[in-house]
């Protein structure tokens, strides 16, 4: 010990120590920086109030948007939704519903001086088969709002929201008790050329299908639709045309909420599986023929356990739907500003639509 603490060594050690401490002090800020994450750049400050302007109402159906509707109904602050055209010069986004444009009932306000930072939004919930010719709109729109996943404002007809059910609930609790019909179908727009019509025509040779709707002069009013479907083992959720992501309220509301197992005709099976649990539906494409599909439906309806397995998802999910598709997605624009590409222009909307 005495050796180590000899005078000379002490002086030397002190010098070395001082040098080390000194250099530490000098370099301390750099060392600190090495271990600290760089500060993120501040986000662009949102304006006090975004203005979303609805140029005209879809299908002429005016909605009540009095007061601070986005905040009051959806908890979205600083978001003014209006249908007052005098707000054009200060609007941040303007929504144009496609149907009225292609029928010529409405026009784009091309005569007005358009602010550079104003976003024009093309809005449609229809599939490309019913959206008409979009070539005249080349270079006019900045954003799209549709049921498609790749739209700037994705507005699905419905989605699965995770939820947990009460203790002791079983699958049986979710199956409507009074099943009296094997398969049901509501069809308002009947056309022989639709694939769904052809599938139906062959399927009805194999099983009985209860058909309702304007097309067969057996209309169901709103009040009776879901209670009627609840009596059916299966509901034919057949889309009017087959396109990626085009999965409508026929699945979400009629089948799922109605309490019948959906037999789907629409985009390919994988597209459904990306949105809903595998064991929640039956896809027409999985069968070689309508004969085989019909036999399968009969067999499942007669096997309680098998049938119940199509309701298992209800233990973990509940179906969510947009409360009002003319108002809610429009308010939700205000929540997507940070992820939006700016500027953006759809130079070829027609090709985007059909890609
Ligand atoms: C934003 O809009 C709301 C609702 O119209 C209004 O109450 C509020 O005063 C506005 N805020 C600003 C800063 O303009
Ligand atoms: C079950 O449904 C059938 C057909 O709609 C109806 O006639 C019958 O009264 C219903 N029974 C019960 C118990 O709800
Ligand atoms: C689904 O819900 C059931 C019943 O509440 C639970 O036992 C099970 O763990 C859940 N499954 C998943 C994947 O969350
Ligand atoms: C919107 O599109 C127009 C072209 O039609 C373009 O001049 C403008 O910069 C675009 N605005 C945004 C916000 O992307």
């Amino acid at each position: 010990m005495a050796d180590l603490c000899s005078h000379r060594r002490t002086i030397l050690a002190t010098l070395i120590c001082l040098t080390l401490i000194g250099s530490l002090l000098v370099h301390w800020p750099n060392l600190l920086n090495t271990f600290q994450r760089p500060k993120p750049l501040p986000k662009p400050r949102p304006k006090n109030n975004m203005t979303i302007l609805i140029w005209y109402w879809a299908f002429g159906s005016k909605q009540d948007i009095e007061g601070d509707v986005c905040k009051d109904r959806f908890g979205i602050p600083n978001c003014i939704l209006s249908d007052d055209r005098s707000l054009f010069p200060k609007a941040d986004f303007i929504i144009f519903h496609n149907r009225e444009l292609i029928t010529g009932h409405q026009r784009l306000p091309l005569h007005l001086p358009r602010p550079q930072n104003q976003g024009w939004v093309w809005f449609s919930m229809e599939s490309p088969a019913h959206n008409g010719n979009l070539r005249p709109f080349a270079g006019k729109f900045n954003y799209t709002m549709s049921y498609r996943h790749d739209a700037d404002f994705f507005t699905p007809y419905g989605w699965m929201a995770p939820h947990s059910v009460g203790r002791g609930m079983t699958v049986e609790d979710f199956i409507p008790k009074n099943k009296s019909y094997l398969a049901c179908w509501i069809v308002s727009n009947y056309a022989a050329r639709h694939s769904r019509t052809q599938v139906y025509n062959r399927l009805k040779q194999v099983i009985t299908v209860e058909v309702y709707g304007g097309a067969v002069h057996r209309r169901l009013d709103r009040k009776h639709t879901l209670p009627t479907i609840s009596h059916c083992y299966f509901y034919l959720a057949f889309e009017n045309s087959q396109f990626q992501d085009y999965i409508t309220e026929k699945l979400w509301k009629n089948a799922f909420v109605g309490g019948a197992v959906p037999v789907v005709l629409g985009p390919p099976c994988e597209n459904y599986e990306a949105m809903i649990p595998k064991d929640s539906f039956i896809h027409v494409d999985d069968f070689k023929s309508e004969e085989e599909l019909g036999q399968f439906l009969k067999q499942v309806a007669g096997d309680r356990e098998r049938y119940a397995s199509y309701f298992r998802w209800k233990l973990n999910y509940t179906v969510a739907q947009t409360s009002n598709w003319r108002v809610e997605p429009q308010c939700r624009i205000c929540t997507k500003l940070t992820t939006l590409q700016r500027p953006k222009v759809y130079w070829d909307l027609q090709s985007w639509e059909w890609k």
Side-chain angles (χ1 to χ4, degrees), residues 154 168 186 316 351:
F154 171 48
I186 301 175
N316 306 87
S351 299

Side-chain angles (χ1 to χ4, degrees), residues 15 20 114 221:
L15 277 176
L20 270 175
R114 177 171 171 181
D221 56 33

Side-chain angles (χ1 to χ4, degrees), residues 134-197:
L134 303 180
R135 283 191 198 89
F137 307 130
K140 301 290 191 287
F141 287 101
N142 305 97
Y143 302 109
T144 50
M145 183 186 268
S146 104
Y147 63 83
R148 263 168 65 172
H149 268 103
D150 60 353
D152 299 289
F153 303 111
F154 171 48
T155 309
Y157 278 87
W159 61 96
M160 287 284 172
H163 94 142
S164 44
V165 297
R167 275 162 153 270
M169 291 281 271
T170 69
V171 173
E172 282 295 330
D173 297 320
F174 296 102
I175 309 177
K177 290 293 163 287
N178 187 11
K179 295 286 183 195
S180 24
Y181 306 122
L182 184 58
C184 302
W185 188 31
I186 301 175
V187 58
S188 47
N189 165 21
Y190 182 92
R193 67 187 155 81
H194 286 163
S195 328
R196 65 181 182 191
T197 308

Side-chain angles (χ1 to χ4, degrees), residues 92-93 114-120 138-143 341-347:
D92 298 280
F93 294 90
R114 177 171 171 181
Q116 265 306 300
N117 55 7
Q118 186 173 78
W120 284 15
K140 301 290 191 287
F141 287 101
N142 305 97
Y143 302 109
Q341 185 188 322
R342 245 166 197 286
K344 182 170 183 176
V345 181
Y346 278 82
W347 292 113

Side-chain angles (χ1 to χ4, degrees), residues 44-59:
R45 222 148 59 95
K47 296 203 306 184
N48 278 334
N49 267 331
M50 296 295 293
T51 300
I52 315 288
L53 180 54
I54 294 171
W55 199 243
Y56 47 85
W57 289 99
F59 303 109

Side-chain angles (χ1 to χ4, degrees), residues 232-301:
C232 315
Y233 281 91
F234 301 99
Y235 181 78
L236 307 186
F238 288 5
E239 302 301 347
N240 63 27
S241 49
Q242 284 71 57
F243 287 95
Q244 177 75 18
D245 295 343
Y246 189 60
I247 300 173
T248 70
E249 80 292 338
K250 294 173 179 67
L251 173 88
W252 298 106
K253 186 170 126 243
N254 293 4
F256 281 157
V257 180
V261 173
V263 177
V264 304
L265 171 69
C269 207
E270 306 80 65
N271 200 181
Y272 281 92
E273 286 181 358
M275 296 184 76
I276 59 177
K278 271 184 172 41
D279 58 0
S280 65
F281 67 99
I282 292 166
H283 199 298
V284 167
D285 290 355
D286 285 343
F287 299 86
K288 283 207 258 339
S289 63
E290 284 75 12
E291 165 73 31
E292 201 179 276
L293 170 63
Q295 295 304 340
F296 180 78
L297 298 182
K298 276 197 243 179
Q299 192 190 323
V300 173

